[in-house]
Amino acid sequence: MGEPARTDRRVADTSAVAPAPPADLLAAPGYGARRLYQAYLAAWNRHVDSVLTGPQFAVLSAVRAYPGNDQSSLAGAAALDTSTMADLCRRLERRGLIQRIESPRDARRKLLSLTEEGEAVLTQVHHRARQLDEALLTGSDIARDANIATLLNALGARWEAVAAFEKLD
């Protein structure tokens, strides 16, 4: 028993210095988008809400803007696919933040509205989310030169279109 046998191989201690991303990743727009999203998630959890997620906030915002619409129609407004939207709506309903009722014309369609608690939560989170937006763009030379939100939304629309291509040429 005793100590494990020692080998002559030495494992380099790489934990002290994190390697920089390779140049090919830094040149890839998808890597930049993922990095932005990861940073945004961390900032959202710390400064806005650690329970209500960004996608849930988007659903609540869409429901407030279009009360009585069905969840499939609102999925696009919240930038979600319909299965993710259905899952988020079930969770929000269980938390008492939205109400889902069957459409009188089609029982498969679920019509959405905010509850009083949902309205209150959205109002509180909305204020903190706008503060985060301001903090993310303040002090940035890029923010002074361009409307970042417009640029990001234009890129999002383009990337959604590319995702729908049959194949890339």
Side-chain angles (χ1 to χ4, degrees):
M1 310 284 170
E3 287 186 37
R6 291 186 173 175
T7 64
D8 287 335
R9 286 190 238 162
R10 297 184 189 254
V11 177
D13 182 10
T14 59
S15 63
V17 177
D24 60 334
L25 283 181
L26 291 174
Y31 173 78
R34 177 160 166 52
R35 188 172 167 200
L36 276 171
Y37 184 65
Q38 289 300 110
Y40 185 75
L41 286 178
W44 178 277
N45 284 332
R46 174 172 277 199
H47 301 294
V48 178
D49 198 301
S50 62
V51 176
L52 187 76
T53 66
Q56 290 171 339
F57 175 75
V59 170
L60 293 177
S61 296
V63 171
R64 179 169 60 190
Y66 305 104
N69 263 313
D70 68 280
Q71 68 187 35
S72 293
S73 298
L74 290 178
L80 298 169
D81 61 76
T82 54
S83 62
T84 302
M85 180 70 167
D87 183 49
L88 287 180
C89 286
R90 279 190 293 274
R91 283 192 244 155
L92 292 169
E93 183 180 39
R94 279 195 300 267
R95 287 184 56 198
L97 302 180
I98 65 169
Q99 180 180 16
R100 295 185 323 150
I101 59 169
E102 288 181 1
S103 167
R105 283 177 262 174
D106 183 351
R108 294 171 297 176
R109 291 179 63 211
K110 304 296 182 205
L111 307 179
L112 306 177
S113 60
L114 290 179
T115 63
E116 285 183 29
E117 183 179 353
E119 182 66 47
V121 166
L122 182 57
T123 299
Q124 292 170 351
V125 173
H126 180 80
H127 176 70
R128 291 191 304 270
R130 297 300 67 86
Q131 287 179 311
L132 176 59
D133 292 344
E134 187 176 326
L136 290 170
L137 298 177
T138 298
S140 168
D141 292 338
I142 297 169
R144 283 187 285 253
D145 297 338
N147 184 334
I148 298 298
T150 300
L151 175 62
L152 290 173
N153 283 302
L155 279 172
R158 172 64 184 158
W159 291 18
E160 288 167 353
V162 169
F165 288 176
E166 281 296 317
K167 64 179 186 169
L168 297 177
D169 292 327

